[in-house]
Amino acid sequence: MTAASQDSARPQNTRAIMAFLREHSPFSNMDDAHLAHYAEHASLRFYADGDVVLSPDDGPVQRFYVVKQGRIRGERERDRDGETETTFEISQGECFPLAALIGERPTRTLHRASGDTFCLSIEHDTFVMLFSQSDPFRDFCLRGVSSLLDQVNQRIQTGAMASIGSSNSLDTPLERYAIRNPIVCSPDLPVRKAVARMHENSVGSIVITDDERHPTGIFTLRDLRTMVAEEKGPLDTPIGQVMTRNPCCLTANADAFEAAMLMAEHHFAHICVVDDEHRLIGMVSERDLFSLQRVDLVNLARTIGTASHLRTLVSLRKDVSRLVDAMLAHGADSGQVVKIITTLNDVTVRRVLELNIKKNDPGIPFTWLTFGSEGRQEQTLLTDQDNGILFQTPEGMTEEQVREKLLPFAETVNKELAECGFTLCKGNIMASNPKLCLSGREWDDWFARFIDASTPQNLVYSSIFLDMRAVFGPMEPLERLLDKVLTRIRKNDLFQKMLAGNAITRKPPLTMFRNFRYAPDGKKNTLDLKRQGLAPFVEAVRVFALANSVGSANTLERMQQLAIKGVFDTKDANAWQEAYSLIQAIRMRAHQEMLDRGEPLSNYINPDDLNPLDRRILRESFRQAQRLQQKLEITYQL
């Protein structure tokens, strides 16, 4: 029986069809009445292996399909010679063709059966009825895979809220938080009168503005304590002389997450909200952003950043896991949470360095570098150390003499970071390694050799050292170094091709039959979500970013910049960002569950332990990684 000769027979067992549909999104969220309407109007259609189900030549699409058994393969022409490539595969429980039906146009992709395939399909009129009356169905059709990400985040958020209670979302615009008409004054107002004005209004800060209401400074109760304790002047001093100048400002449409990250990184407690002309319109404090029952981001970051002993830093690390739960409950997505973790890691690293400089200052200015996932700002709770030192050789000293002073200091820092939970790197990618404690000239020479000689070892190093960031010390030396590195890579087509070839060796864990390909080194029937799931995205995107002078090391930001530059199609970039975030979300949730069970953290999961939606999400996400690697292969003719 072929597609041409098949009969459209209405299924008799409506309940059985409804039971099947309920296992898959969006049907799992639909009302029974709408689900029954689909089942009653569905036709079961059979397609033999290789049959064309939909073609661009068929005209505007007239039916909506759900795969009940088998697979559908999407094909597009790769070049003018008529060669085709598989752009996607649709498996059991998945729907098609959403975009063409909503746009009332032909499909742009040929849909072909891969093996014997059965589909439950409905006519256009039934689709329109469900689209208009069922909110979950309409939302899914309009947003496609994006709604899967929302479902994952919503489930994670719901689970986290069970332990801490609800609050506002970190995606909320600041205009919703901002205190309107904040207390302001001119710079010539005496401190005594400014503090009295703060007391009368029960606020902890006052903003100093110019005649056009542009914020020029801020004065807080903390500043008052410092002023009195350090005897910086009498209370009749004009506030303009003791205020903190150039206060941090964000526009009203910035979100709470951006404000929280600034507060955490720089230890601010207040942020001015301004309009497009930089006029003050409101004020946001850390209390406005967080009302958590146990711990909040800004307070934890400040506590870490001001800790006076290593033992305090060690004890504070357990609060990071609690904070992750809290942030998830506040609506933070996986990309935001890994940045939160990275920010707290940065604050911890800086404090360890500061405490050691107080005890034993080597007397040499240096920049502390971080590589790999920390360099990309993509760390989770499972992390190790990948760091180095960049120094400028003082006049009268040799590079070896500088190293003699810095290496013992770096060894102590590495050991103390290990006590704080950052495990020592098994590959010795640490600042205490003499090969990674280098002057600016030595780093430049190292990268020049690294790029010119594309050895297997250098290609392995590329996944570490080409994602680098400064977390302590002057930023300018690294900026100069990165400018030179990016210029060399942009001009070296052979190195780019070698990087691309190395990137596609990390295959997503799907077999040609869409089954999971398990990790060879983990427990039986497990996937490594980091190396098998995230790495294919990270490494492919890195090649495109380096070849096109994208300075950011963060994978999601690289995708966004590549779309802006026109290197990535916007829709493709969105799909790849969502797929990457989905894998990261599942990985993050798995880590939280391991902590709850008291198990050591691992990146391995058994897909059989996941519900059908999560398994589908992983397959879809891995398939997007395959599409990204196909683009890499085509671009570099691999």
Side-chain angles (χ1 to χ4, degrees):
M1 182 175 173
T2 66
S5 62
Q6 66 188 342
D7 293 324
S8 297
R10 175 167 301 175
Q12 298 299 313
N13 194 342
T14 301
R15 287 187 180 180
I17 294 175
M18 292 175 65
F20 165 77
L21 293 173
R22 281 197 190 96
E23 295 179 359
H24 307 283
S25 185
F27 309 105
S28 54
N29 297 319
M30 288 171 60
D31 295 340
D32 283 350
H34 294 140
L35 201 60
H37 190 80
Y38 188 105
E40 290 165 359
H41 290 79
S43 297
L44 184 63
R45 297 192 163 202
F46 169 77
Y47 300 91
D49 183 33
D51 279 352
V52 173
V53 181
L54 286 173
S55 169
D57 298 331
D58 294 340
V61 175
Q62 297 300 316
R63 300 191 72 87
F64 173 79
Y65 299 80
V66 178
V67 177
K68 190 173 188 302
Q69 180 180 320
R71 279 187 300 277
I72 299 293
R73 183 172 67 244
E75 297 178 355
R76 287 188 182 178
E77 287 191 4
R78 176 182 291 187
D79 52 39
R80 295 178 180 177
D81 296 332
E83 290 189 19
T84 62
E85 62 172 329
T86 298
T87 59
F88 58 80
E89 286 187 334
I90 302 168
S91 59
Q92 187 181 66
E94 297 184 57
C95 316
F96 67 98
L98 294 174
L101 262 172
I102 293 169
E104 297 184 340
R105 60 168 173 80
T107 176
R108 296 191 178 115
T109 306
L110 187 142
H111 292 65
R112 189 187 302 277
S114 179
D116 289 347
T117 300
F118 291 87
C119 294
L120 287 165
S121 72
I122 55 174
E123 294 183 350
H124 184 266
D125 290 346
T126 305
F127 172 82
V128 171
M129 191 283 293
L130 289 170
F131 185 86
S132 63
Q133 295 188 14
S134 171
D135 290 340
F137 186 73
R138 180 171 60 254
D139 180 68
F140 180 85
C141 292
L142 289 175
R143 304 177 63 204
V145 74
S146 300
S147 65
L148 297 180
L149 179 58
D150 283 349
Q151 289 180 58
V152 173
N153 285 331
Q154 184 177 13
R155 193 164 63 250
I156 295 173
Q157 182 177 349
T158 300
M161 280 186 174
S163 63
I164 71 162
S166 63
S167 185
N168 291 318
S169 167
L170 283 176
D171 291 324
T172 305
L174 286 184
E175 62 182 355
R176 301 264 289 277
Y177 288 98
I179 299 174
R180 295 289 176 175
N181 300 317
I183 306 305
V184 301
C185 69
S186 60
D188 56 356
L189 187 72
V191 170
R192 187 188 310 277
K193 291 187 177 180
V195 173
R197 193 175 296 180
M198 292 162 61
H199 177 69
E200 291 168 4
N201 291 274
S202 300
V203 296
S205 66
I206 189 167
V207 183
I208 296 85
T209 61
D210 60 19
D211 294 338
E212 296 181 352
R213 205 173 170 80
H214 297 147
T216 59
I218 189 171
F219 187 81
T220 68
L221 292 177
R222 187 179 300 148
D223 296 325
L224 176 64
R225 290 197 300 269
T226 302
M227 180 182 174
V228 173
E230 298 180 3
E231 299 181 349
K232 289 187 174 182
L235 293 181
D236 291 329
T237 303
I239 199 167
Q241 295 182 18
V242 293
M243 68 183 184
T244 300
R245 298 182 182 276
N246 302 316
C248 181
C249 299
L250 289 173
T251 59
N253 57 5
D255 59 34
F257 176 73
E258 190 174 352
M261 293 300 287
L262 280 174
M263 288 179 179
E265 188 168 357
H266 301 289
H267 301 169
F268 299 141
H270 301 82
I271 287 179
C272 297
V273 182
V274 297
D275 61 18
D276 292 338
E277 280 73 44
H278 203 69
R279 291 189 296 261
L280 182 70
I281 59 174
M283 172 66 67
V284 173
S285 73
E286 60 179 293
R287 288 186 181 180
D288 300 324
L289 289 181
F290 299 106
S291 56
L292 304 187
Q293 297 173 3
R294 301 182 191 173
V295 66
D296 70 66
L297 168 62
V298 182
N299 183 58
L300 179 56
R302 184 180 295 116
T303 305
I304 293 172
T306 57
S308 55
H309 299 284
L310 177 66
R311 62 177 178 272
T312 304
L313 291 174
V314 174
S315 66
L316 286 170
R317 292 303 295 175
K318 67 179 181 297
D319 287 336
V320 177
S321 174
R322 288 163 53 195
L323 178 65
V324 170
D325 266 339
M327 293 298 98
L328 290 170
H330 275 71
D333 61 33
S334 59
Q336 291 173 334
V337 172
V338 294
K339 278 199 171 185
I340 288 168
I341 294 172
T342 302
T343 295
L344 293 174
N345 288 348
D346 287 354
V347 174
T348 304
V349 170
R350 283 195 287 268
R351 194 55 185 159
V352 169
L353 287 163
E354 290 165 354
L355 291 174
N356 275 282
I357 287 174
K358 284 183 179 180
K359 289 187 299 183
N360 185 24
D361 189 346
I364 306 290
F366 65 88
T367 301
W368 188 270
L369 305 176
T370 187
F371 311 110
S373 59
E374 174 82 356
R376 294 191 301 273
Q377 296 180 288
E378 294 171 356
Q379 285 201 314
T380 62
L381 297 173
L382 177 60
T383 184
D384 60 1
Q385 295 187 51
D386 287 321
N387 45 51
I389 285 178
L390 185 161
F391 61 81
Q392 300 301 310
T393 309
E395 190 173 346
M397 293 184 70
T398 66
E399 289 157 338
E400 284 301 327
Q401 289 172 331
V402 173
R403 253 186 298 281
E404 287 179 9
K405 285 182 170 290
L406 286 176
L407 286 174
F409 173 86
E411 185 173 359
T412 300
V413 171
N414 285 145
K415 288 180 179 178
E416 292 188 355
L417 287 175
E419 291 183 52
C420 292
F422 305 91
T423 57
L424 296 172
C425 176
K426 295 178 181 178
N428 200 23
I429 308 296
M430 293 185 291
S432 54
N433 182 345
K435 295 180 180 179
L436 298 176
C437 180
L438 304 174
S439 69
R441 182 195 66 80
E442 290 173 319
W443 274 114
D444 189 38
D445 290 345
W446 188 87
F447 273 107
R449 296 193 303 272
F450 171 83
I451 293 168
D452 290 340
S454 302
T455 64
Q457 183 59 56
N458 281 356
L459 292 173
V460 172
Y461 282 157
S462 70
S463 65
I464 303 171
F465 296 109
L466 291 179
D467 297 338
M468 118 175 111
R469 192 168 53 87
V471 296
F472 181 85
M475 304 292 120
E476 295 81 7
L478 178 60
E479 291 171 359
R480 290 195 298 270
L481 175 64
L482 283 175
D483 283 343
K484 294 178 182 178
V485 170
L486 287 173
T487 300
R488 286 194 183 102
I489 293 176
R490 191 178 66 249
K491 294 179 178 180
N492 193 324
D493 293 340
L494 178 60
F495 181 71
Q496 292 177 34
K497 187 165 186 174
M498 295 287 284
L499 277 183
N502 185 66
I504 64 172
T505 61
R506 184 88 70 179
K507 297 294 185 184
L510 286 180
T511 68
M512 64 182 297
F513 299 110
R514 300 266 344 283
N515 295 319
F516 290 120
R517 180 166 44 81
Y518 300 117
D521 54 351
K523 293 182 181 178
K524 186 177 180 181
N525 296 342
T526 61
L527 303 172
D528 185 335
L529 291 183
K530 182 177 181 180
R531 285 188 292 176
Q532 291 181 290
L534 298 174
F537 288 98
V538 170
E539 298 188 5
V541 169
R542 180 190 299 117
V543 179
F544 285 113
L546 294 172
N548 291 278
S549 298
V550 173
S552 173
N554 180 266
T555 302
L556 293 174
E557 291 175 5
R558 279 172 166 172
M559 292 184 194
Q560 187 175 10
Q561 289 298 313
L562 288 166
I564 292 171
K565 286 175 173 279
V567 180
F568 286 173
D569 175 83
T570 302
K571 290 183 179 179
D572 284 341
N574 289 339
W576 294 332
Q577 286 176 304
E578 288 160 356
Y580 180 84
S581 297
L582 287 163
I583 298 171
Q584 191 72 278
I586 292 174
R587 178 191 182 209
M588 196 174 307
R589 191 188 62 210
H591 283 173
Q592 292 301 105
E593 291 172 351
M594 291 173 193
L595 286 174
D596 290 343
R597 296 192 297 265
E599 299 174 359
L601 292 180
S602 165
N603 289 312
Y604 294 96
I605 66 160
N606 187 331
D608 291 337
D609 294 337
L610 301 175
N611 59 45
L613 173 62
D614 284 349
R615 285 197 295 272
R616 175 188 168 186
I617 284 169
L618 279 183
R619 284 195 177 92
E620 171 63 27
S621 300
F622 295 155
R623 197 162 62 211
Q624 291 295 336
Q626 290 176 329
R627 288 189 60 240
L628 177 57
Q629 289 190 340
Q630 287 170 357
K631 180 174 177 63
L632 199 63
E633 291 174 341
I634 294 169
T635 301
Y636 288 96
Q637 299 180 343
L638 299 172

